[in-house]
Amino acid sequence: TPQRCFLRVHPLFWFWSFCRRMAVALCLQVLCSLCGWLSLYTSFCHLNKHRSYEWSCRLVTFTHGVLSIVLSAYIGFIDGPWPFTHPGSPNTPLQVHVLCLTLGYFIFDLGCIWRFAWKKSIKKYRAWRSRRSEERQLKHNGHLKTH
């Protein structure tokens, strides 16, 4: 009957639908992780007003390092599977959560590299431009700068 054919769906559709839902779930986990790292950074900035923003970023980096080591040790030694006897086995949900947590941190860190790198580059560019304009003025006045 035509109604039965309408309800029957190709298996490939289910596969793509499942993959799409998994991708959305992973992206949401990474986004939540990124929001968590940004919140921690904002909290550190607020708590340490007398310190620089880079100090707060380093505290977030330290927190990520400690958290990653603890979670990785828990996964490797307690939760399993043991990586030396079961290499290449499918990831557990906890492993996926830790990977999403770390990916969120790396996106945060990329943004921080940051900002600091941009400011430092601009500062060096302005110093170079200032030095170059001074050399031009000396050259136009008939004097050469000696080193």
Side-chain angles (χ1 to χ4, degrees):
T1 64
Q3 289 180 340
R4 282 189 164 196
C5 290
F6 180 76
L7 295 176
R8 192 179 281 173
V9 180
H10 196 273
L12 192 58
F13 172 77
W14 291 109
F15 175 74
W16 286 112
S17 176
F18 175 75
C19 288
R20 202 172 347 170
R21 284 182 290 177
M22 288 298 293
V24 168
L26 289 174
C27 288
L28 283 175
Q29 286 182 10
V30 172
L31 187 62
C32 287
S33 169
L34 176 61
C35 290
W37 293 118
L38 284 170
S39 298
L40 186 64
Y41 173 72
T42 305
S43 299
F44 284 149
C45 287
H46 182 70
L47 291 172
N48 299 311
K49 292 178 183 176
H50 59 285
R51 302 274 186 178
S52 68
Y53 291 123
E54 188 175 358
W55 174 265
S56 298
C57 187
R58 289 181 186 207
L59 283 177
V60 172
T61 300
F62 175 75
T63 306
H64 170 260
V66 169
L67 190 63
S68 294
I69 289 170
V70 169
L71 288 173
S72 297
Y74 176 78
I75 289 170
F77 295 118
I78 297 171
D79 191 48
W82 182 247
F84 297 113
T85 57
H86 297 88
S89 60
N91 291 335
T92 64
L94 182 59
Q95 289 172 334
V96 172
H97 290 307
V98 172
L99 288 171
C100 289
L101 183 77
T102 302
L103 182 57
Y105 166 75
F106 286 141
I107 294 170
F108 163 80
D109 195 43
L110 183 64
C112 284
I113 287 175
W114 33 295
R115 180 176 163 227
F116 302 129
W118 177 259
K119 283 184 177 181
K120 197 170 202 173
S121 297
I122 292 295
K123 188 175 180 181
K124 285 188 177 186
Y125 172 72
R126 287 182 180 155
W128 172 78
R129 204 170 70 184
S130 172
R131 194 172 52 244
R132 189 170 174 211
S133 68
E134 287 175 2
E135 289 175 358
R136 279 188 188 164
Q137 287 177 355
L138 286 175
K139 204 175 199 181
H140 287 306
N141 291 337
H143 303 287
L144 289 177
K145 188 174 182 181
T146 57
H147 293 284

